[in-house]
Amino acid sequence: MQNNIEIRNPATGEIDAVIPVITVDELNAAAALLKQGQGSWSKVPLQQRLDCITKFGQLILANKQELAEILTRETGKPFTQAMNEIVGAQNRIEHLQKNANRWLSEELIVNEGATHEKIVYEPLGVIANISAWNFPYNVGFNVFLYALAAGNAVLYKPSEFATGTGIQFEKYLYQAGIPEDVFKCVVGDAQVGQQLLELPLDGYFFTGSYKTGVHIASAVAHKLVPVQLELGGKDPLYIADDIVDIKKAAISAAEGAFYNNGQSCCAVERIYVSDKIYDQFVEAFIEEVASYKIGDPMRPDVFIGPLTRAAQLTVLDAQVKDALQKGAILRLGGHKLPNAGYYYAPTVLEHCSHEMELMKEETFGPLIGIQKVSSDDEAVHLMQDTAYGLTAAVFSSNRDRALTILEKMDTGTVYWNCCDRVSPNVPWSGRKNSGLGSTLSAQGIRAFVQPKAYHLRP
């Protein structure tokens, strides 16, 4: 018997859709179909593949109203932010248009002497893209569009919390000219994800938690195929004492912490503030967070909607309770809201310390801890005190001072006077428990090909 996935609207807790889960036989058939189709797709000229991807982007934009509504209904992401993501993700397509030919074309290395040498970049084959719900356009485009451009076929498994969005990706890719034997959206939960790991695929690209990432890497290690893991973070932000506009810094920091309800791997998750400006910053920060409109995510003025997953309410409660027991002061929120859905009040705790889970373990919600520091050295020590290595940020008026601190961060991305930002022009990568490999940039294009060296004697 075929099971179903129930898509619940986080704003109400009610079932919004019921979608059949792919069966084992259907999954095996899809993988076999892609294996056959990939060879033909890889022979399609790169520009034609890019034309299909460009057309896909145009179709997404033409239907962005409906697509944003789907994303909001199934994840709780405020409608305005859903629209921002859909429009913003187009920069991945623009990046491929401008750069794919450069990084996927063969390279003539030696063209003289007895032996000529060149490098040809060949697609991996059929890859699995096990994606995430929090930014399905951004993290999905990072993988499946780049993989398709490079000549691969893709088994795409959306998160069960963004299944409707994943189905729309398949629909519009087909309309854009991507063959049905080149891309398949597979619907299912963790059990289907496990079945993907058992298939004889040529690469695995995952976005999600550290725990699941380790499981995937372990499960497929014997295959010796590429594995790329975009995992979580415990991203620090340091507010130095020389910032000119404390209020502006507080507004930026608050948005970095609470955009998409804090449900982002690169969201600001802990803040360190110089003792010289601590009180001023905290008051400005609280004023900003208190101004956020909470409510129905379909309303254009709402900034804080429901959490996507009901279970995360318990995680937030536990972190708040632990912090209060260990001396933190609750300045805002700290409780579930009485709404019908999965709402949690935007929460700010100050006078935090690294004895608290809030400052050490990933939060993934509208909850932030603030800690006072007396020097740059103390800030650096605390920022480095983490098992994660995704991003780190410094707000300072002094570029050299900021760069000195950022150079010490063992993270894939660093920010000066900004945060919670991703660009297709530079690599998106994690270190330590934040993952393996890179998406975006030249590295993200080359992630989906394997080099073949040619030694040629005319």
Side-chain angles (χ1 to χ4, degrees), residues 41 49-50 52-53 56-57 60 85 89 92-93 96 125 127-132 135-158 162 165-174 176 178 182-185 205-207 228 230 439-440 444 448:
W41 177 245
R49 299 199 298 261
L50 291 174
C52 291
I53 291 170
F56 168 74
I60 292 294
E85 181 185 352
R92 275 70 169 169
I93 296 174
L96 284 170
I127 65 108
N129 177 195
I130 304 173
S131 200
F135 285 92
Y137 285 83
N138 289 339
V139 300
F141 286 15
N142 290 358
V143 177
F144 69 75
L145 290 185
Y146 282 67
L148 291 170
N152 298 277
V154 180
L155 268 174
Y156 176 75
K157 182 196 172 299
T165 294
I167 291 172
Q168 296 299 309
F169 290 160
E170 181 182 71
K171 170 185 173 181
Y172 289 116
L173 283 169
Y174 291 168
I178 302 294
V182 171
F183 182 93
K184 287 293 180 185
C185 174
F205 296 78
F206 169 72
T207 303
Q228 186 163 290
E230 183 182 336
T439 54
L440 304 177
F448 297 97

Side-chain angles (χ1 to χ4, degrees), residues 263-313:
Q263 298 171 122
S264 170
C265 57
C266 58
V268 174
E269 288 230 347
R270 48 199 174 108
I271 300 176
Y272 305 98
V273 185
S274 168
D275 54 6
K276 297 181 178 64
I277 60 168
Y278 179 85
D279 290 337
Q280 293 170 274
F281 175 84
V282 170
E283 295 310 315
F285 186 88
I286 290 171
E287 180 182 2
E288 176 64 16
V289 177
S291 73
Y292 290 156
K293 177 74 174 178
I294 306 167
D296 180 357
M298 292 302 299
R299 293 184 52 176
D301 60 337
V302 165
F303 188 79
I304 300 289
L307 292 165
T308 302
R309 301 167 297 167
Q312 198 65 12
L313 295 167

Side-chain angles (χ1 to χ4, degrees), residues 304 307 313 316-317 320 334-337 342-347 366:
I304 300 289
L307 292 165
L313 295 167
L316 300 180
D317 270 343
V320 170
H335 56 84
K336 303 171 189 176
L337 292 174
Y342 315 142
Y343 286 85
Y344 202 88
T347 300

Side-chain angles (χ1 to χ4, degrees), residues 38-338:
Q38 187 272 323
S40 298
W41 177 245
S42 69
K43 293 179 174 61
V44 172
L46 173 58
Q47 188 55 54
Q48 290 185 30
R49 299 199 298 261
L50 291 174
D51 288 345
C52 291
I53 291 170
T54 299
K55 177 64 174 176
F56 168 74
Q58 293 168 347
L59 289 168
I60 292 294
L61 288 180
N63 295 276
K64 62 184 178 181
Q65 178 78 21
E66 177 190 2
L67 293 172
E69 290 174 358
I70 292 171
L71 183 56
T72 295
R73 286 201 311 270
E74 64 183 356
T75 68
K77 180 181 296 234
F79 179 80
T80 300
Q81 296 176 25
M83 289 287 279
N84 290 344
E85 181 185 352
I86 290 169
V87 174
Q90 294 291 316
N91 64 11
R92 275 70 169 169
I93 296 174
E94 295 167 3
H95 180 254
L96 284 170
Q97 291 170 332
K98 293 176 181 177
N99 298 284
N101 187 65
R102 175 184 179 190
W103 297 108
L104 295 176
S105 296
E106 67 177 54
E107 294 181 276
L108 186 61
I109 306 302
V110 176
N111 194 30
E112 58 186 9
T115 305
H116 295 182
E117 300 166 355
K118 71 175 183 177
I119 304 171
V120 171
Y121 295 96
E122 300 178 343
L124 299 175
V126 181
I127 65 108
N129 177 195
I130 304 173
S131 200
W133 51 263
N134 57 336
F135 285 92
Y137 285 83
N138 289 339
V139 300
F141 286 15
N142 290 358
V143 177
F144 69 75
L145 290 185
Y146 282 67
L148 291 170
N152 298 277
V154 180
L155 268 174
Y156 176 75
K157 182 196 172 299
S159 164
E160 54 267 41
F161 298 100
T163 300
T165 294
I167 291 172
Q168 296 299 309
F169 290 160
E170 181 182 71
K171 170 185 173 181
Y172 289 116
L173 283 169
Y174 291 168
Q175 289 187 20
I178 302 294
E180 293 187 19
D181 60 0
V182 171
F183 182 93
K184 287 293 180 185
C185 174
V186 297
V187 172
D189 55 13
Q191 185 175 357
V192 172
Q194 181 62 37
Q195 292 163 2
L196 281 171
L197 305 184
E198 297 165 4
L199 291 173
L201 304 181
D202 302 304
Y204 292 85
F205 296 78
F206 169 72
T207 303
S209 71
Y210 163 76
K211 180 179 178 181
T212 303
V214 169
H215 172 73
I216 290 172
S218 300
V220 304
H222 67 284
K223 302 181 184 183
L224 299 182
V225 297
V227 176
Q228 186 163 290
L229 307 172
E230 183 182 336
L231 309 179
K234 192 64 183 174
D235 307 281
L237 166 61
Y238 172 42
I239 308 294
D241 58 8
D242 64 353
I243 57 172
V244 174
D245 191 332
I246 294 176
K247 183 175 182 179
K248 181 180 178 181
I251 291 172
S252 296
E255 183 176 15
F258 289 95
Y259 192 86
N260 196 32
N261 232 349
Q263 298 171 122
S264 170
C265 57
C266 58
V268 174
E269 288 230 347
R270 48 199 174 108
I271 300 176
Y272 305 98
V273 185
S274 168
D275 54 6
K276 297 181 178 64
I277 60 168
Y278 179 85
D279 290 337
Q280 293 170 274
F281 175 84
V282 170
E283 295 310 315
F285 186 88
I286 290 171
E287 180 182 2
E288 176 64 16
V289 177
S291 73
Y292 290 156
K293 177 74 174 178
I294 306 167
D296 180 357
M298 292 302 299
R299 293 184 52 176
D301 60 337
V302 165
F303 188 79
I304 300 289
L307 292 165
T308 302
R309 301 167 297 167
Q312 198 65 12
L313 295 167
T314 302
V315 173
L316 300 180
D317 270 343
Q319 287 198 356
V320 170
K321 180 179 179 181
D322 173 77
L324 294 176
Q325 289 176 341
K326 294 174 179 175
I329 296 175
L330 179 65
R331 293 297 307 275
L332 200 66
H335 56 84
K336 303 171 189 176
L337 292 174

